[in-house]
Amino acid sequence: MSENAVIEWDRNAQYAIWDVAGQQPQVQARSFAMVHGAIYDAVNAIAGAPYQPYLIKPATNGRESVDAAVGTAAFQVLSSLFPAQQTRLRTQYDEWLAAIPGGSAKRRGISVGSRTAAAMIDARRDDGAFGPTAWPVGTEPGQWRPTPPTNANDGAWVANLKPFLIPSPSMFRSSGPPALTSEQYARDLNEVKAIGAVDSSTRTADQTEAAVWWHDRHLGEWEIKRQLATTQRLSSLQTARMFAMVDLAEADATTACYNEKAAWTFWRPVTAIQLADTDGNPATEADPDWMPLLVTPPHPDFTSGHTCFTAASMSALRHFFGRDDIAFSAYSEASGTTRHFSGFSEALAEVTEARIWGGIHTRTADVEGAKIGAKVTAYMIRNYFHPRR
């Protein structure tokens, strides 16, 4: 096979996770982490385990088919995640195997992939996924409540999901959002009120595009990851390690972020601006008709899930490549545009602003979220995926 199998099965995973199942980002994170944790353990084992295994190192002789192992690990994890897609996934997997020459290398590769998939499936059994989904709804100033136009309430289970890497979802607890009567709170609210409004006169066309681009549930991070593996000419092992590092850090950053949301249950900008006459802050003024550019997601403001997620991914990529200045880009169907970045820090800086431009997060929620994502990656760097020789 000509293409990197890890890249190909990442595309296949994306199709199952997003195109068919339509999982939202906080749910996608767990699914991608499971797929790439299993793939990494399989490829790493076949290479002689030059890096710490994530869960297991099956016995290998180094002559196993990497393509067979990658396809098997991904297929079996995806089948466990999406029983309704098993027929389609089986056809996809059978076609993949048919292109691999028969023999002991293929059989042994299938065996390695099966073992790492089983280890991952077992490790994530009863991990808290898809438990109680509703956030507590408050009525007091500062307390979260569902937001228009959807008035939805979803995803609270992510706050208590068993992490992949970090010991506890609450280990990076922040000091919380600013007090409603503080100057910082008023600055945050007035900033998002001006630039994040659906009819803002201060937001530029490029800022509007960026807000929509970063809000696309078909995440640009997927394309960025695959693009970097290609442009930097990574081997299957390097790709498997990079994808696992990024996806597992993203998953735990998302869980840590949602744990923050559960701890503080802080109201979203749309609620805060419409009810600003109740916050006790003389520097804020209510606008009962104010609406954001973007549809507000169905969970509390503090902290920002996207900055947690992107800080984790960009800091993991910076660590993996040992530099910050690698250019990349990605296309969004939602905005109809491609955005280009000169490095990892630039992408993180833009998403921090974009959530404000979209009217769905305050600056403090974004900044503190990015700190959590960076701390998750730092923990991973200290404890996982190290070279063994």
Side-chain angles (χ1 to χ4, degrees), residues 225-263:
K225 194 174 59 173
R226 294 192 290 258
Q227 184 183 104
L228 288 167
T230 301
T231 62
Q232 303 307 303
R233 298 179 174 84
L234 300 188
S235 66
S236 294
L237 174 60
Q238 291 169 326
T239 305
R241 181 169 177 256
M242 186 261 273
F243 282 21
M245 292 173 76
V246 170
D247 285 3
L248 272 68
E250 287 173 342
D252 276 8
T254 301
T255 297
C257 166
Y258 273 60
N259 199 271
E260 281 286 292
K261 291 177 183 289

Side-chain angles (χ1 to χ4, degrees), residues 367-389:
V367 169
E368 293 303 315
K371 290 178 183 177
I372 290 172
K375 288 176 181 177
V376 169
T377 295
Y379 184 90
M380 177 190 70
I381 290 168
R382 290 193 301 271
N383 294 282
Y384 292 89
F385 304 110
H386 291 174
R388 297 174 73 223
R389 58 176 185 263

Side-chain angles (χ1 to χ4, degrees), residues 77-324:
V77 171
L78 290 169
S79 293
S80 76
L81 288 168
F82 306 109
Q85 296 186 47
Q86 282 192 0
T87 300
R88 183 192 64 77
L89 287 165
R90 168 58 70 177
T91 299
Q92 185 178 60
Y93 175 59
D94 287 347
E95 290 173 354
W96 176 261
L97 288 184
I100 302 171
S104 63
K106 180 177 182 177
R107 291 193 299 273
R108 289 179 63 87
I110 291 171
S111 175
V112 171
S114 294
R115 290 186 61 188
T116 62
M120 177 60 76
I121 293 165
D122 185 62
R124 301 311 298 182
R125 191 169 286 115
D126 301 321
D127 65 358
F130 310 108
T133 59
W135 302 93
V137 176
T139 57
E140 297 298 313
Q143 293 179 343
W144 182 83
R145 72 277 325 253
T147 54
T150 61
N151 294 306
N153 183 337
D154 186 50
W157 60 265
V158 181
N160 295 303
L161 184 68
K162 175 186 173 183
F164 286 82
L165 304 169
I166 61 177
S168 163
S170 62
M171 72 177 294
F172 299 125
R173 175 72 72 242
S174 76
S175 58
L180 297 184
T181 54
S182 67
E183 291 183 11
Q184 183 182 353
Y185 175 80
R187 283 196 306 271
D188 277 355
L189 199 67
N190 290 327
E191 177 184 33
V192 71
K193 182 181 182 182
I195 202 165
V198 65
D199 57 354
S200 173
S201 60
T202 61
R203 188 179 55 245
T204 68
D206 185 68
Q207 289 169 339
T208 299
E209 177 196 304
V212 174
W213 191 97
W214 282 103
H215 198 58
D216 193 342
R217 305 294 84 179
H218 180 291
L219 299 184
E221 277 93 341
W222 305 332
E223 184 178 340
I224 290 166
K225 194 174 59 173
R226 294 192 290 258
Q227 184 183 104
L228 288 167
T230 301
T231 62
Q232 303 307 303
R233 298 179 174 84
L234 300 188
S235 66
S236 294
L237 174 60
Q238 291 169 326
T239 305
R241 181 169 177 256
M242 186 261 273
F243 282 21
M245 292 173 76
V246 170
D247 285 3
L248 272 68
E250 287 173 342
D252 276 8
T254 301
T255 297
C257 166
Y258 273 60
N259 199 271
E260 281 286 292
K261 291 177 183 289
W264 306 109
T265 57
F266 199 60
W267 61 6
R268 285 279 187 164
V270 62
T271 310
I273 292 166
Q274 291 184 359
L275 301 179
D277 54 345
T278 70
D279 63 19
N281 193 319
T284 66
E285 184 177 339
D287 180 350
D289 299 319
W290 190 92
M291 287 294 287
L293 170 68
L294 304 173
V295 174
T296 302
H299 34 75
D301 172 63
F302 190 91
T303 52
S304 162
H306 213 131
T307 62
C308 285
F309 183 96
T310 305
S313 64
M314 295 302 153
S315 56
L317 289 167
R318 184 169 60 244
H319 169 73
F320 180 87
F321 290 108
R323 53 188 286 201
D324 189 59

